[in-house]
């Protein structure tokens, strides 16, 4: 948001359009649908139901130009240290680039990525063929991925989204929460001798993951018959091999992920192991190649046809010029139910910042609150507020047109409901006669639709890549670093000092009165001094 003049003009456009019904923008431009629909890598992005016209869009693209987004995209792909506060590149794109087709990512990064993919492939093949098995020569039937945030959300999303590809009998489970009840409930149905745990942690220092790892070890220790080696049952995926080894993981069972991949961008690395285990390495490669197609588009397409640029700038228009403070994500596809949560981390952990790249406070909004749930469930919970509430909340609808496996009548209704929501948000009913006051819907609420013919590994890869790059475009315009997350550190430090307090006989005096009172009741309950 550097150019005051450009920003000033956009504010003027926003004022001019304030009272123009979105539907009138369609009559003003007979080609609006094609002018505002963009296509790449099997995805279509229709932003025509947003409150903007060609003049707005071209002014937003001038802002993109003035913020040097093109140059920053080149920096991202070329391995420049775009993560300035941690002084390293953010090269998740290298993980999905292939050495024969793409020459833009520096060769050494591609070589590192390929080496780790080879290790992943041989481990996955060995597990699927039964060559890697337990000490009794039996295949592992259950794999539990222990990890949180980026070491959980991407693999979980992909496992759910690609259900149709099922090719192996391995059951995949995710253990992200610290709640002991979740642990107990999960392991109670697992066969210990045929269960493999994947400890997924880039840092190998996340306390929730390490706690669950300890409990998994204890559980196995108490259940395995003696000849079975505990170490066979654990694999680590990490950038910190030394810590994993020190924590008891066999060196041969440690898959490294490069340091230059951010946690929330790591599904493309060995963190994606559940995808390859469950659906086969080919599916995992297709997933990567779909993302690579979108990467190619992002790097080469002109700004005015560039999906991540358009999606990012429509978001900036809604946030910074039309004053929306949140973004709802509603996938009309049950297999994408975890997408809102995935995007929550991607967008909010990346761009939930109030300091610019040089550490100064910014005086405009950055990432809106991202939230959502799958349609049609959403229609029966929060959509009321989207239609009649006092907040204006833009929506991204995600729609896969083709039905997964028959059930076409269901699919007809899915498509109809998705389109109906977006249409109702735009039109409302105030223009109709004789509507009672409390039934009136003002309409003119913006939404975009991202659609594809079918949800498959490639379109899923492209969809995630689209949002990753959208996030990057926005961070560039907001002049913030999307690749660090210092905001989460303080909470971790406080948690560890509170745990010390809970463990100690005496109470530390450093806590605020509210925290101290709850700790004190907790300790009393633990020791049976109160009920
Ligand atoms: O606390 C936030 C975070 O650092 C995320 O960025 C990351 O995805 C998650 O924790 C898990 O971190 P790790 O993979 O190091 O366990």
């Amino acid at each position: 948001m550097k150019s005051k003049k450009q920003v000033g003009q956009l504010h003027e456009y926003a004022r001019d359009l304030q009272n123009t019904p979105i539907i009138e923008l369609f009559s003003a431009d007979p080609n609006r649908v094609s002018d505002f629909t963009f296509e790449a890598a099997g995805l279509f992005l229709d932003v025509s139901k947003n409150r903007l016209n060609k003049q707005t869009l071209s002014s937003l693209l001038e802002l993109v130009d003035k913020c040097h987004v093109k140059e920053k995209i080149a920096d991202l792909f070329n391995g420049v240290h775009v993560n300035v506060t941690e002084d390293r590149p953010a090269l998740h794109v290298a993980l999905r680039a292939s050495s024969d087709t793409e020459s833009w990512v520096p060769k050494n990064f591609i070589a590192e990525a390929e080496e780790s993919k080879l290790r992943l492939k041989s481990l996955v093949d060995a597990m699927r063929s039964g060559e890697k098995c337990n000490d009794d020569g039996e295949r592992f039937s259950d794999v539990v991925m222990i990890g949180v945030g980026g070491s959980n959300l991407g693999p979980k999303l992909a496992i759910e989204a690609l259900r149709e590809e099922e090719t192996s009998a391995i059951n995949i489970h995710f253990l992200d929460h610290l709640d002991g009840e979740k642990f107990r409930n999960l392991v109670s149905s697992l066969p210990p001798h045929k269960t493999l745990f994947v400890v997924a942690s880039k840092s190998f220092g996340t306390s929730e993951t390490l706690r669950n790892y300890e409990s998994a070890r204890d559980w196995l220790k108490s259940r395995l018959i003696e000849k079975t080696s505990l170490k066979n049952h654990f694999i680590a995926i990490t950038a910190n091999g030394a810590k994993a080894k020190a924590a008891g993981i066999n060196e041969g069972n440690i898959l490294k992920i490069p340091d230059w991949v951010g946690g929330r961008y790591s599904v493309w690395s060995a963190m994606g192991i559940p995808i390859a285990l469950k659906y086969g390495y080919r599916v995992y490669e297709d997933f990567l190649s779909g993302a690579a197609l979108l990467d190619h588009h992002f790097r080469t397409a002109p700004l005015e046809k560039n999906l991540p640029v358009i999606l990012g700038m429509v978001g900036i228009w809604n946030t910074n010029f039309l004053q929306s403070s949140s973004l709802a994500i509603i996938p009309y596809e049950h297999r994408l139910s975890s997408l809102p949560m995935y995007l929550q981390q991607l967008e909010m952990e990346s761009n939930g910042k109030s300091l610019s790249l040089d550490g100064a406070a910014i005086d405009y909004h950055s990432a809106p609150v991202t939230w959502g749930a799958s349609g049609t469930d959403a229609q029966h919970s929060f959509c009321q507020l989207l239609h009649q509430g006092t907040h204006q909340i833009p929506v991204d609808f995600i729609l896969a047109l083709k039905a997964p496996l028959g059930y076409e009548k269901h699919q007809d209704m899915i498509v109809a409901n998705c389109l109906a929501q977006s249409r109702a948000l735009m039109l409302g009913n105030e223009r109709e006669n004789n509507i009672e006051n409390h039934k009136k819907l003002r309409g003119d609420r913006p939404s975009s639709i991202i659609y594809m013919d079918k949800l498959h590994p490639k379109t899923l890869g492209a969809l995630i890549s689209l949002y990753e790059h959208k996030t990057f475009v926005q961070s560039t315009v907001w002049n913030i670093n999307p690749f660090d997350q210092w905001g989460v550190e303080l909470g971790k430090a406080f948690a560890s000092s509170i745990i010390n307090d809970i463990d100690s006989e005496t109470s530390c005096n450093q806590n605020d009165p509210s925290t101290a009172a709850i700790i004190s009741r907790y300790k009393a309950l633990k020791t049976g001094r109160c009920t």
Side-chain angles (χ1 to χ4, degrees), residues 517-531:
I518 298 171
I519 293 175
S520 144
R521 178 154 183 91
Y522 179 64
K523 282 167 110 170
L525 276 172
K526 267 176 68 132
T527 51
R529 279 187 283 115
C530 87
T531 50

Side-chain angles (χ1 to χ4, degrees), residues 468-487:
E468 284 178 353
H469 294 319
K470 168 214 165 176
T471 304
F472 181 70
V473 169
Q474 294 190 327
S475 73
T476 306
V477 175
W478 286 325
N479 194 31
I480 55 183
N481 179 7
F483 299 115
D484 62 12
Q485 59 284 321
W486 299 106

Side-chain angles (χ1 to χ4, degrees), residues 146-153 200-210 237-239 257 262-266 271 345 349 483-485 487-489 492:
I146 304 179
V148 289
S151 303
N152 163 263
L153 294 166
S201 175
K202 182 182 170 191
S203 58
F204 221 85
T206 303
S207 61
E208 296 97 306
T209 300
L210 296 182
I237 319 258
T238 185
I257 66 163
R264 55 191 169 274
Y265 303 87
S266 65
M271 288 292 178
Q345 187 202 23
E349 196 168 73
F483 299 115
D484 62 12
Q485 59 284 321
V488 271
E489 296 307 318
K492 291 183 190 173

Side-chain angles (χ1 to χ4, degrees), residues 31-247:
N31 297 324
R32 184 168 172 86
V33 177
S34 57
D35 287 348
F36 288 88
T37 300
F38 307 86
E39 184 190 347
L43 303 180
F44 298 86
L45 166 65
D46 176 352
V47 296
S48 64
K49 294 197 194 86
N50 282 275
R51 187 190 294 284
L52 82 177
N53 57 22
K54 280 188 189 162
Q55 188 185 40
T56 334
L57 190 56
S58 80
S59 193
L60 284 165
L61 293 175
E62 281 173 35
L63 179 59
V64 167
D65 216 31
K66 295 221 160 81
C67 294
H68 308 291
V69 172
K70 270 257 166 229
E71 293 82 342
K72 294 286 169 74
I73 295 173
D75 287 351
L76 176 78
F77 282 84
N78 288 331
V80 171
H81 287 206
V82 288
N83 181 354
V84 286
T85 60
E86 293 173 314
D87 192 20
R88 59 186 178 210
L91 269 171
H92 39 289
V93 289
L95 297 169
R96 51 223 194 191
S98 121
S99 52
D100 350 310
T101 53
E102 300 284 9
S103 55
W104 32 268
V105 174
K107 291 272 176 271
N108 53 326
F109 291 109
I110 301 222
E112 195 180 338
E114 300 236 307
E115 194 190 311
S116 69
K117 273 189 241 171
L118 276 181
R119 280 213 61 205
L120 174 68
K121 183 173 184 323
S122 79
L123 177 69
V124 164
D125 288 348
M127 280 193 61
R128 284 170 61 94
S129 68
E131 188 193 319
K132 182 169 175 61
C133 52
N134 71 6
D135 280 0
D136 297 326
E138 293 170 306
R139 285 175 197 225
F140 289 105
S141 60
D142 292 82
V143 171
V144 180
M145 179 133 173
I146 304 179
V148 289
S151 303
N152 163 263
L153 294 166
K156 183 165 180 284
L157 166 66
I159 284 292
E160 291 169 2
L162 301 178
R163 274 201 293 267
E164 250 197 299
E165 311 289 328
E166 183 137 1
T167 59
S168 107
I170 300 176
N171 303 309
I172 307 283
H173 313 269
F174 292 95
L175 185 58
D176 53 347
H177 209 283
L178 253 181
D179 194 330
E181 193 279 332
K182 174 153 185 176
F183 181 85
R184 187 180 54 95
N185 199 24
L186 171 64
V187 295
S188 66
S189 61
L190 296 178
H193 61 294
K194 285 166 71 174
T195 297
L196 180 94
F197 289 90
V198 176
V199 190
S201 175
K202 182 182 170 191
S203 58
F204 221 85
T206 303
S207 61
E208 296 97 306
T209 300
L210 296 182
R211 177 64 263 152
N212 277 325
Y213 165 50
E214 284 304 320
S215 295
R217 281 176 68 94
D218 293 346
W219 176 73
L220 275 182
K221 256 189 221 157
S222 67
R223 285 180 173 67
L224 288 181
I225 44 174
E226 236 171 300
K227 68 183 167 115
T228 311
S229 142
L230 188 68
K231 288 199 165 184
N232 252 347
H233 289 253
F234 289 94
I235 286 177
I237 319 258
T238 185
N240 196 336
K243 261 192 165 177
K245 200 172 155 208

